[in-house]
Amino acid sequence: MRNLLAIVLTIATLLTFTACEGENENELRNETDSTNSTVSYEDVEISEEKASSETTSELTSQEKFNFRWELNGDTITISGEGDLSDHILDDVPRKESIKKAVILDGITAVGDDVFRNWNSLVSVEMSDSVTDIGCSAFDGTPILESESNWEGDALYLNDILLRVREDASFSDFAIKEGTRIIGSCALQEQENLKSITVPDSVTTIGRRAFADCKNLETVTLGASTTTIRLGAFIECESLTNVILPEGLTAIHSEAFKECRALENVTIPESVTFIGSFAFTVGTVKKINISSLEAWCNITFESWTANPLSQGAELCLNGEKVEHLVIPDGIEVIKDHAFFGYKGITSATLSDSVETISYGAFGECSNLASITIPCSVKSIEKFVFDECESLTDITYEGTKAQWEAIKKGVHWDDTTGSYEPGAFNVHCIDGCIKNS
């Protein structure tokens, strides 16, 4: 028994020794492989040193969202698509030593604080794609603070009127020929300003460009003006006369808000967009147009964008529109086209009309009858909402065709003096009572 135990212990010892030799051999093999590996310990140390160097080195370019900036000495070049906001340049080093900025084609606006307090910036090259400059975009730079850059009371940056002195004493101001943009806030709070003539070279009136000019009475825009931006003439409370040029396409939100003396406005045929509260509620008395087709093509940002909803009278070539006739060629009557217009009593749509859009006749409280052609395929939401006088629709098709028209929710809410059954659709093969 004692001999057998000795044999077992001898075998166990041999097995343990063999296992240890295997482990040592594996460790030796691993060390050899590591030595011959493409990435050695020495390489790792170099890589870490390089990474550390890259982390601490200064950025010379960066891509952020749709933009890229590159720094070359004391010049920064910025490229991209869209409106340039200040956070795009957050990581630019040595802002205090940059003397020149180049803004390439594709950038459409320079935001309020983009170059604010870049205290060495003396020169800016800007593509014509830029159509808006923020109110304080160059505050705290030599561009604004160097007296040599001013032409009397005005500061121009290339073809942009950037700023007019706050204490200017003029009553009539002549903007320089060749100016392309009137920058945001450029002439705001000019209390002595009474009239302004914008040269034909100007395409854009910037945000709040003439805001709070309390004594401004007359504005004549140049032939090339296409855009009046947010609040451009807000709170010009003495403004009585604005001449808007043919070629103007956009009147943005609050453009003439709180211009309480402005009672008559002529909207050119070229206008395709009017923003919310572009005109003050209840003050504009008359809207003059020369084309119903052009009027139906305007995109109103909301019902508050349409001055008709605020009590204005619609005049077509000098005549008040009471019996509305939509001419041939119009396929869509756009959202809020006649929303809230109290002057209309009847309407006839041409057989080219296919869609009556959201709220097109909503709150036309005196609209009593309307003729709808069988070409109409869609009547969208709230089209006749709160048309309390509307009791009869004449539909130039069959009852089956009328039922097949796609109708949005609440398209006929509270019509016909709110009485169930008082709202009738007269088809060529009979009458459908609304219930």
Side-chain angles (χ1 to χ4, degrees), residues 121-403:
L121 188 66
V122 295
S123 174
V124 178
E125 292 181 9
M126 205 174 302
S127 166
D128 286 351
S129 62
V130 174
T131 59
D132 188 29
I133 303 292
C135 290
S136 54
F138 296 98
D139 282 8
T141 70
I143 290 172
L144 223 61
E145 296 177 352
S146 176
E147 197 63 31
S148 62
N149 290 333
W150 290 78
E151 300 178 23
D153 287 322
L155 173 64
Y156 291 89
L157 178 63
N158 304 327
D159 55 2
I160 299 167
L161 174 58
L162 199 60
R163 189 72 57 86
V164 172
R165 296 188 197 275
E166 292 179 6
D167 57 352
S169 59
F170 51 75
S171 60
D172 301 302
F173 179 68
I175 296 172
K176 186 169 68 175
E177 288 289 340
T179 301
R180 183 172 61 90
I181 298 171
I182 300 176
S184 296
C185 309
L187 288 100
Q188 72 173 352
E189 300 180 2
Q190 295 291 334
E191 293 187 0
N192 296 313
L193 185 63
K194 290 187 176 181
S195 67
I196 189 79
T197 298
V198 176
D200 288 346
S201 57
V202 171
T203 61
T204 303
I205 312 295
R207 291 172 289 126
R208 297 184 61 85
F210 297 92
D212 298 304
C213 291
K214 302 296 186 185
N215 295 304
L216 181 62
E217 298 174 355
T218 302
V219 173
T220 302
L221 300 182
S224 299
T225 302
T226 60
T227 305
I228 302 173
R229 293 200 179 276
L230 173 73
F233 295 93
I234 192 171
E235 295 187 11
C236 292
E237 57 190 34
S238 299
L239 187 61
T240 58
N241 186 31
V242 176
I243 298 175
L244 304 177
E246 191 61 50
L248 180 69
T249 58
I251 304 171
H252 285 269
S253 297
E254 302 183 355
F256 296 97
K257 188 178 181 181
E258 302 301 328
C259 296
R260 295 190 175 277
L262 187 62
E263 296 186 353
N264 297 310
V265 178
T266 297
I267 305 294
E269 292 184 25
S270 54
V271 171
T272 57
F273 176 83
I274 298 180
S276 298
F277 295 106
F279 300 93
T280 299
V281 174
T283 59
V284 176
K285 301 291 191 296
K286 186 181 292 187
I287 294 293
N288 303 293
I289 63 172
S290 57
S291 167
L292 275 172
E293 184 174 4
W295 180 262
C296 290
N297 193 45
I298 294 174
T299 296
F300 293 100
E301 189 173 33
S302 69
W303 68 267
T304 63
N306 191 337
L308 301 182
S309 70
Q310 301 157 22
E313 181 179 283
L314 183 64
C315 293
L316 176 63
N317 297 318
E319 296 292 328
K320 180 182 176 180
V321 176
E322 295 178 296
H323 304 288
L324 176 66
V325 179
I326 300 296
D328 288 338
I330 296 176
E331 296 182 359
V332 177
I333 301 175
K334 285 197 171 182
D335 293 2
H336 308 112
F338 299 95
F339 186 92
Y341 181 39
K342 303 298 188 286
I344 186 175
T345 59
S346 68
T348 301
L349 313 186
S350 70
D351 58 11
S352 60
V353 175
E354 296 182 0
T355 301
I356 310 173
S357 298
Y358 183 94
F361 294 96
E363 297 188 23
C364 291
S365 57
N366 294 313
L367 178 64
S369 64
I370 186 169
T371 299
I372 298 177
C374 56
S375 58
V376 170
K377 300 173 183 177
S378 177
I379 298 175
E380 295 184 358
K381 296 187 292 184
F382 299 105
V383 163
F384 299 114
D385 182 43
E386 294 191 30
C387 292
E388 58 190 48
S389 298
L390 183 60
T391 56
D392 293 286
I393 289 179
T394 299
Y395 177 64
E396 297 175 332
T398 65
K399 290 191 286 185
Q401 286 175 306
W402 172 259
E403 297 294 349

Side-chain angles (χ1 to χ4, degrees), residues 57-69:
S57 67
E58 189 173 81
L59 284 171
T60 58
S61 66
Q62 186 183 60
E63 290 189 17
K64 200 169 186 179
F65 302 111
N66 296 322
F67 300 90
R68 177 180 176 81
W69 59 262

